Amino acid sequence: MTGLGCLSPIGNSVADTWENAKKGVSGAGPITHFDASLFKTQFACEVKGFNSDEHFDRRKVRQLDLYAQYALVAARQAVDDANLLAESVNRDRVGVIVAAGIGGLHTFEEEAGYYAINADKGPRYSPFFIPKMIADIASGHISMEYGFHGPNYGIVSACASSNNAIIDAFNLIRLGKADAIVTGGAEAAIYPAGVGGFNSMHAISADNDNPQGASRPFSKSRNGFVMGEGSAILILEELEHAKARGAKIYAEVAGGGLSADAYHITATHPDGLGAKLAMQAALDDAGMQPSDIDYINAHGTSTPVGDVSEVKAIIDVFGDAAYKLNISSTKSMTGHLLGATGAIEAMFSTMAIVEGTIPPTINHAEDDQDEEIDYNLNFTFNKAQHREVRAALSNSFGFGGHNATLILKKYEA
C-alpha cells in the first residue's frame, strides 16, 4: 500500500480523520443534506465543509453525483500521496476498482421525483441521469482523469463492497494483471430515500436526542447503525514495482477471504457462520495463525444481532488468541459508510499498523453490558490504546449475506 486518501465524517484528509479517530471524535449531527424533520431519524454522519465548486468546474459538477465527487477527491489525495504520476509508472498497467453499495441514489431520487411531478408532460430526463447514477462510474471518472488504462470496474456487494474491491485489486496484482490499482469505495446516500428506506427496515438508530452517542457497538442499548458517507481510496502496488521507484510503503496486503451467509436478505447468520468462513479464509490466504493478528477492525455496526454474531465468530476462529488482541469498531465515530466502509476501515487498520495505535470504540458505558457479549475481549472502549500491530484484520459484512475479510501486515524491508 503506497498511497491513501480520505473524505470522512471526521475529517477531509487522512491526517485529520486519523487524528480525530484517535481522539474518539464522533462525526454524527443533524442531517443537512435535506429537511429530515418528518423522518424518524434526523441525524447522520455527514462529510463536513465539502464544497463541490472548490474541486470541480460547473460542467463537471453536473456530471457527477456526490458519491463520485467524494471518490475523485479522495483518489486525488491518494494518487498524490503515492506519487503515482511519476514518469516511471506505466499508466497502461494502472487499474481502478472503486466500489459503492448504492451509488448515485440522490441522482436517481431527483430524476424520479421530477418525472412524478411532471408526468403529464411526458418523460424528460437529464442526459447525465444514467451515467451519474450507476455504481461503477466513480472508477470510470478516476481512470479518465489520470489516463489509467488497466483493469477498471466497480463492485457492489452492499456493505462488503469496498473490501471486495481491495481484495480484487490485490488478486489482480499478484496475478500480474496490473502494477498498481487505485481502489476503495465511496458512498453518499444520506438523502430521503436512503434514510427513509433504512428507517422502514428499523436498521438505523433514531436516537435524535443523542446523535453523537447513537452508534454504540457492543453495548446492550445499541439500537441500529448510524448512516455515514464519504470515500477512502488506497493505492495498492506490486512490491518490487514500488521498491524500484522508491515509493513509501505503509503496509502490505497479506490476504483476503470471501464467503456468503446463505441465510437472510439483511440479517447476519446468528452464529456468525459466514463471518467465520471469511476470517478463516483470509488467515489461510495470508498463511497466518490467529496469534499473528494483533488488531481486528470489526464490522461492528451497533445492531442487536450483527454485533453478537460477529463476536461469536471471532471467538470461534481465534480461540484463546481472541483475548490477546484488540478489537474496535470505528463506526462508533464515522457511522456506517455502507459501500465505502471497508475502505475507510482498511485505512484505519493501516494507520494502526504504522503508528502502533488502536482507535477506540466510543460511547460504551460500564453499566450497558450485553449478557450475550464476552467482555473479557478487549473492545478498546472509549480510549485509544498503544501497542505494536504486526497485522490487522478488517471485517465487512453486507445485506445479502456477503462477507469480506481483509488482512494487512507491517511492511519489513
Side-chain angles (χ1 to χ4, degrees), residues 157-300:
S157 53
C159 303
S161 296
S162 51
N163 252 12
N164 270 127
I166 295 165
I167 292 168
D168 264 23
F170 168 57
N171 285 328
L172 285 173
I173 289 172
R174 62 179 173 175
L175 285 170
K177 305 300 184 182
D179 296 330
I181 295 182
V182 181
T183 188
E187 206 77 271
I190 304 173
Y191 287 101
V195 176
F198 282 122
N199 268 158
S200 295
M201 296 170 58
H202 305 288
I204 56 176
S205 174
D207 284 352
N208 295 313
D209 293 333
N210 181 28
Q212 294 197 338
S215 182
R216 40 185 183 270
F218 312 117
S219 295
K220 184 174 184 177
S221 65
R222 66 193 184 278
N223 57 18
F225 70 83
V226 176
M227 286 186 70
E229 65 172 2
S231 176
I233 300 293
L234 301 76
I235 309 300
L236 300 191
E237 192 167 348
E238 195 276 325
L239 179 58
E240 297 305 319
H241 184 271
K243 288 165 62 177
R245 68 185 192 87
K248 68 175 178 295
I249 298 172
Y250 287 99
E252 289 187 66
V253 180
L258 307 172
S259 74
D261 281 355
Y263 171 72
H264 190 272
I265 57 171
T266 57
T268 57
H269 191 284
D271 294 325
L273 174 62
K276 287 188 284 188
L277 292 171
M279 286 189 280
Q280 189 60 59
L283 288 167
D284 292 344
D285 190 34
M288 289 183 170
Q289 300 300 314
S291 59
D292 295 324
I293 304 297
D294 294 311
Y295 171 49
I296 294 177
N297 188 297
H299 188 55

Side-chain angles (χ1 to χ4, degrees), residues 394-412:
S394 180
N395 282 328
S396 289
F397 313 135
F399 285 177
H402 313 300
N403 306 299
T405 296
L406 179 70
I407 295 179
L408 304 167
K409 69 179 182 180
K410 182 175 289 188
Y411 170 68
E412 297 180 358

Side-chain angles (χ1 to χ4, degrees), residues 128-165:
F128 297 120
F129 172 31
I130 298 301
K132 280 179 71 174
M133 177 195 70
I134 51 180
D136 68 304
I137 200 65
S139 294
H141 279 293
I142 293 167
S143 69
M144 287 183 276
E145 179 151 321
Y146 292 109
F148 294 150
H149 294 120
N152 186 282
Y153 53 94
I155 287 181
V156 177
S157 53
C159 303
S161 296
S162 51
N163 252 12
N164 270 127

Side-chain angles (χ1 to χ4, degrees), residues 15-36:
D16 287 347
T17 297
W18 177 238
E19 285 304 312
N20 283 325
K22 290 188 292 183
K23 294 174 184 175
V25 173
S26 170
I31 290 172
T32 65
H33 287 329
F34 69 98
D35 180 2

